[in-house]
Amino acid sequence: MDSSIEGATEAGHGDGGEVDPVAGTAVQRAADGSSGRPPGPAEAGAGGAAGAAVTGGAVAAPPASLSPSRAGDFMQCPLLYRFRVIDRLPEKPSEAATRGTLVHAVLERLFDAPAAERTAPRAKSLIPGQWDRLRETRPEVVELFADDPRGERLARWLGEAEQLVERWFTLEDPSRLEPAEREMFVEAELESGLRLRGIIDRVDVAPTGEVRIVDYKTGKAPRPQYAEGALFQMKFYALVVWRLKQVVPRRLQLVYLGSGDVLTYDPVLADLERVERKLLALWEAIRQATETGDWRPRPTRLCGWCDHQAHCPEFGGTPPPYPLPVRAAESAGVPQGRMGPG
């Protein structure tokens, strides 16, 4: 990377991506289609054979870990968390999320080339091959363009991916970057036993040892009042890195390809300690909801993006039978399935 992390472009703000600040990365993903990663074993939890049942074609088990996306799901809507993590209900791929996956793959693969060859034309030339690879590894994305026999909509969609890739070169110079890690899986267990895990798009390490965590978003940057919600994911990753390496990252950087903005934040230890307290409170709420089976929907305007309306009581639906053992609530105290102060 650059010899100085301070050389990073400072953040600007554009319209769009305006989301509920407490909903974290899941809300931002729904608003801008930036994640592109479906819930997988690393996010949905694993283990806990006791009480396991088959639902939605998968084995249900109590959550065993927490990722930024799944934390955001619970804060957005506890019932959504249940549908994704415990019931494992299928979700249709979207053009926006799939485009995000494609662009992420291209930006990752570009760094395989020597620095001098990391050009915009080279990056755009990677798109067809990465799209072919995506269709092989995730055949369900083919249905996105099943009703496009002439390929016109697909061509337009690929052109939009090209534009996002090309815009990245106006925000960062990959010929001056040598990432220490790309698409890095991280996992750390806190003293409480809570296991945190996720995938970091890019980790840069300066010659002086300073660490920068970078995440690409294919949507627009949020307005200033929603920036804290957008940074939730990054602070989560910073917490994991701190717990693993005993190093507080020097900079957190969100690169918004949809609007051409870069949002940066320089965390301090107190930030990470606050995030840890919030995640512990969140995990306790998830634990209680898991044990009681009390997962309450939280209606917001983001419900329009949800694939599970047919199962949601807010839309006249009925959730599938709860696949885990339940216990009676101990008291009429704090409502289950809610995030307490953190």
Side-chain angles (χ1 to χ4, degrees), residues 4 8 16 32 47 77 98-99 150 168-169 184 196 207 218 232 240 245 262 285 312 323:
S4 174
D32 69 16
C77 174
T98 305
R99 184 170 52 239
R150 301 178 57 140
W168 178 55
F169 286 83
M184 177 186 180
L196 305 178
T218 50
F232 172 82
V240 175
K245 303 293 186 181
V262 177
C312 180

Side-chain angles (χ1 to χ4, degrees), residues 18-54:
E18 183 174 336
V19 295
D20 184 340
V22 302
T25 56
V27 174
Q28 185 64 29
R29 179 185 65 245
D32 69 16
S34 59
S35 170
R37 295 192 189 97
E43 297 181 300
V54 176

